[in-house]
Amino acid sequence: MKLIKLTAISAAVLASTAALAADPIVVVDNADAMAYQAQPVAVAQPVMADPVAVAYEAEPVAYETEAAPVNNSNRGIIGSTTNAISNTTGAIFGGTKTLFNTAINPAAVSAEIGTLGYGANVAWSINETTELQAGWAGGDVSDLKDNFDVDDIEYDIDDADFSNPYIGVQLRPAANWFTVGAGIIVPDNDFEVTAKAEGPNFRIDNIDYASEDVGTLSGTMEHRNELAPYATIGFRPNISDNWGVFGEIGAAYMGRTDATVRSSNPDNDVAVTGGDGNSVTGAEVARRAEQELEDKDWLEWFPIVKLGATYRF
């Protein structure tokens, strides 16, 4: 009876060994499939009725498919390349997502009023002390300033159609309420003006022209620069967790001014006091006033003064 049991056990062991030798063992290692051929190392001889211990050692066997051969030596390279592509793609899309989230989530919005007009801006936080701003200011600034002087002539601003889109950087160098700003304005500013005579005369470059002969001097002005750099200093204190106020002063380099001045009596002879004393036409007086307007310095360096309120998200 013992002999029959030992014989049955030995036969089972041999059958298991044969089956393992015939069918490969597939092991999945880091998402790469590898086939192993099981090789028997030692087969225990039947001794008495104790269970038989059999040890196996797995050896890799390369298999090929019709699609592509398996190359064990390239597994690490292929895996690394795949991971690199995956990581690079993730970095690109991750960076784009960050930029997109920043763009659609501004740090603050502000409303302003000043010499550039009525306007508003949006600010995006770059870091704790730096913000990128984009805004617009304009409208009819004749409500804000109704006249200006050019030497001895006072001009009334009949209409002023301003449009000043801008982009800039707002810095807090001391990480407090004090601010420094700089950027670029794209100006499109037009003035309609009328000269006011002082007494009976228009005085241009220390020469008096009889206003009765000249009639009305009126014209238009616009800035020449298509891009105008600006700089400001200011303050931006917070008055609550979300609300704050600000004020800024500075200047923008608008460049020289193009002016057109007309006389209502262009062909009249105009009496002149001073200079060579010779009479001139109303058109010539208008030309001289036009030249004086274009030489006016404050239109070249346009003053920036603004006040406003800010809401922070």
Side-chain angles (χ1 to χ4, degrees):
M1 191 66 178
K2 288 184 179 181
L3 179 60
I4 293 173
K5 290 182 179 180
L6 291 173
T7 302
I9 292 172
S10 298
V13 170
L14 290 174
S16 300
T17 303
L20 290 171
D23 298 324
I25 300 172
V26 178
V27 179
V28 177
D29 182 18
N30 194 23
D32 295 321
M34 177 59 65
Y36 291 85
Q37 181 71 48
Q39 301 282 347
V41 176
V43 178
Q45 298 298 324
V47 179
M48 303 301 292
D50 296 328
V52 179
V54 180
Y56 291 88
E57 180 179 359
E59 294 182 359
V61 178
Y63 283 82
E64 290 186 0
T65 65
E66 292 183 1
V70 177
N71 189 339
N72 291 330
S73 62
N74 291 333
R75 287 175 61 246
I77 297 174
I78 294 171
S80 298
T81 304
T82 303
N83 290 337
I85 294 173
S86 176
N87 291 340
T88 302
T89 304
I92 292 172
F93 283 98
T96 304
K97 185 177 180 181
T98 300
L99 292 173
F100 179 76
N101 288 339
T102 300
I104 65 174
N105 292 288
V109 293
S110 301
E112 64 184 57
I113 182 173
T115 53
L116 292 175
Y118 308 91
N121 67 64
V122 181
W124 293 269
S125 178
I126 305 301
N127 54 44
E128 292 182 356
T129 59
T130 307
E131 288 183 346
L132 178 66
Q133 287 185 336
W136 178 90
D140 185 358
V141 300
S142 60
D143 294 336
L144 303 175
K145 185 174 178 60
D146 57 4
N147 61 69
F148 63 92
D149 293 330
V150 177
D151 292 336
D152 295 318
I153 297 182
E154 182 178 314
Y155 285 88
D156 287 334
I157 300 175
D158 302 319
D159 187 31
D161 186 13
F162 271 25
S163 178
N164 293 289
Y166 62 89
I167 185 170
V169 176
Q170 192 76 232
L171 304 174
R172 297 176 182 263
N176 58 13
W177 55 265
F178 176 71
T179 63
V180 176
I184 294 292
I185 299 172
V186 185
D188 183 11
N189 303 323
D190 298 316
F191 300 86
E192 292 183 7
V193 297
T194 300
K196 295 174 64 176
E198 184 174 338
N201 300 316
F202 289 109
R203 171 164 287 191
I204 302 172
D205 196 19
N206 294 322
I207 299 175
D208 291 327
Y209 303 91
S211 58
E212 184 178 356
D213 297 334
V214 174
T216 301
L217 288 177
S218 60
T220 60
M221 302 168 58
E222 63 180 0
H223 296 112
R224 294 179 184 176
N225 279 10
E226 294 183 359
L227 296 176
Y230 73 86
T232 62
I233 59 172
F235 63 94
R236 287 180 175 263
N238 294 325
I239 58 178
S240 72
D241 290 340
N242 298 108
W243 289 96
V245 295
F246 68 90
E248 294 179 31
I249 59 172
Y253 183 70
M254 297 289 190
R256 302 289 295 275
T257 302
D258 287 328
T260 301
V261 177
R262 300 169 299 275
S263 167
S264 61
N265 298 321
D267 298 323
N268 275 7
D269 289 333
V270 178
V272 178
T273 303
D276 55 15
N278 295 328
S279 64
V280 296
T281 64
E284 176 61 21
V285 175
R287 188 196 67 78
R288 295 180 183 182
E290 179 179 298
Q291 184 63 47
E292 190 175 55
L293 271 176
E294 291 185 345
D295 291 340
K296 180 62 177 174
D297 291 340
W298 75 264
L299 293 175
E300 184 174 359
W301 288 95
F302 195 85
I304 295 176
V305 178
K306 63 172 69 174
L307 296 171
T310 297
Y311 181 83
R312 295 193 171 277
F313 298 101

